[in-house]
Amino acid sequence: MLQQTQVATVIPYYNKWLRRFPDFASVSCASQNDVLHAWQGLGYYDRARNLRAAASIVQDRHSGTLPGDVAAIRKLPGVGRYIANAVATFAFNQAVPIVEANSSRVLARLLDMRAPIDSAIGREKLWAFAAQLVPKRNAARFNSALIDLGALVCLPDKPKCSVCPVKKFCRAKNPGALPIKKSKPRTKRLIERHAFVVSNGRVLLEQSSARWRGMWILPRFETGASDQPLYRSTFPFTHHRIAFVVYRRATPNRVSPTQHWFESIDDIAMPSPHRRAAQALLSATQVAPSRRRRSSKL
Ligand code: SF4
């Protein structure tokens, strides 16, 4: 959950997730819809799909217990060097390095590193330096302290060098100018049109096969529309800014195989922009679908 997402945002999701899925067995038995539904609002849904796949492997190959060996952890779906090492050091106190946003800033400044921290060469330098520093004993405490040093002292804009406990090791001549990052791609603007179709207290949704794969969205609506939209919003997605526009559309004679009518949207996995739009439009049209009666296909 902490990939791409801040701790404060994650905590309520984490607690709710553990109540719903207290162990690997419960995640591996859950349907994709249930897992995505529990994840909704956190974004980057591949993380949820990978977690479900990883839980199945832990359940089948490791008798439901996460292996402590960093190489075995790294073989799980969605697990790269950072996650494998973070789990190995924080859960098992193994002497492996971790490099994340806060510690990479500290390390780049200690080295006075000129390579961008998000370039291949810069990343490898940071990992090699972190590996040199990590002690054989108390690695979890050391790695945690390095992250806290970045979060509390070696701040992005105004590093507190006068109170820094590692000042005498630091080579940074102008710490405020570090770390160097590659320039970001420019934000692209996109318009995405979707249809709001209701009939007999049911709303038509389609299962996405691209972005938000497996989740339910308002049906896509490709052609230009001359009528006024019912709903507009914007949301960011990677380096895009999406203008999300919803139009009322008449009930079609036939629905496609990926589309279903839903009497309730409460228990289905929907990405946040689509859930917000569907809830606003359903309450504006006073369609109050009853709970529990899930879906029917025309
Ligand atoms: S001395 Fe300053 S720049 Fe260097 S690690 Fe400490 S806070 Fe960061």
Side-chain angles (χ1 to χ4, degrees):
M1 287 182 180
L2 288 169
Q3 276 179 312
Q4 316 278 347
T5 310
Q6 294 185 336
V7 174
T9 307
V10 160
I11 286 172
Y13 287 96
Y14 176 77
N15 290 331
K16 203 169 138 200
W17 177 276
L18 282 190
R19 281 196 295 276
R20 191 160 175 183
F21 301 117
D23 50 26
F24 288 111
S26 49
V27 186
S28 63
C29 293
S31 68
Q32 176 170 274
N33 180 72
D34 284 349
V35 169
L36 293 173
H37 184 259
W39 198 273
Q40 69 187 6
L42 269 177
Y44 299 100
Y45 290 91
D46 273 346
R47 297 180 297 179
R49 293 185 197 94
N50 284 329
L51 188 49
R52 179 166 169 258
S56 296
I57 292 172
V58 171
Q59 196 61 20
D60 296 345
R61 297 189 201 156
H62 303 285
S63 310
T65 303
L66 188 73
D69 170 40
V70 73
I73 299 171
R74 195 156 173 189
K75 283 188 187 152
L76 297 172
V79 174
R81 177 164 51 177
Y82 169 68
I83 291 189
N85 286 22
V87 170
T89 196
F90 293 128
F92 301 107
N93 202 21
Q94 288 193 19
V96 290
I98 55 168
V99 175
E100 49 72 73
N102 286 307
S103 60
S104 65
R105 182 170 58 255
V106 178
L107 296 170
R109 286 172 172 170
L110 288 174
L111 284 174
D112 200 25
M113 192 175 90
R114 299 292 145 165
I117 57 166
D118 49 354
S119 65
I121 197 162
R123 267 195 296 270
E124 286 316 309
K125 275 190 177 179
L126 293 179
W127 277 98
F129 186 40
Q132 278 176 27
L133 295 179
V134 70
K136 293 233 175 332
R137 295 181 59 204
N138 294 327
R141 186 179 289 189
F142 173 85
N143 281 323
S144 189
L146 198 59
I147 293 172
D148 282 349
L149 185 64
L152 302 172
V153 179
C154 195
L155 302 174
D157 294 330
K158 290 188 180 160
K160 299 177 181 172
C161 301
S162 60
V163 296
C164 179
V166 296
K167 186 172 169 48
K168 67 178 174 185
F169 308 112
C170 184
R171 295 191 207 151
K173 294 177 191 71
N174 183 8
L178 294 175
I180 294 166
K181 290 186 182 168
K182 290 195 292 190
S183 50
K184 282 189 182 165
R186 281 180 56 190
T187 302
K188 289 186 192 160
R189 292 176 182 278
L190 288 178
I191 298 178
E192 294 187 353
R193 298 178 180 85
H194 293 265
F196 179 61
V197 185
V198 286
S199 174
N200 299 325
R202 299 170 307 168
V203 61
L204 185 65
L205 300 177
E206 79 183 19
Q207 196 162 32
S208 178
S209 57
R211 185 196 315 150
W212 301 314
R213 181 164 48 89
M215 300 182 82
W216 293 94
I217 61 172
L218 295 167
R220 277 162 302 174
F221 177 52
E222 304 291 353
T223 51
S226 54
D227 50 333
Q228 284 296 311
L230 287 177
Y231 180 95
R232 286 174 188 273
S233 70
T234 57
F235 62 90
F237 192 84
T238 61
H239 56 280
H240 294 95
R241 185 91 197 146
I242 314 269
F244 176 65
V245 195
V246 184
Y247 296 85
R248 181 182 288 284
R249 282 294 169 264
T251 307
N253 295 329
R254 289 182 59 232
V255 298
S256 81
T258 58
Q259 296 180 338
H260 287 263
W261 292 99
F262 284 91
E263 293 174 343
S264 167
I265 62 171
D266 293 352
D267 296 333
I268 59 171
M270 290 183 80
S272 298
H274 286 260
R275 178 172 295 282
R276 278 195 294 271
Q279 281 172 334
L281 293 170
L282 287 168
S283 61
T285 52
Q286 296 187 319
V287 174
S290 59
R291 283 181 59 89
R292 300 293 165 218
R293 295 163 60 207
R294 278 281 299 279
S295 74
S296 56
K297 195 172 179 182
L298 280 185

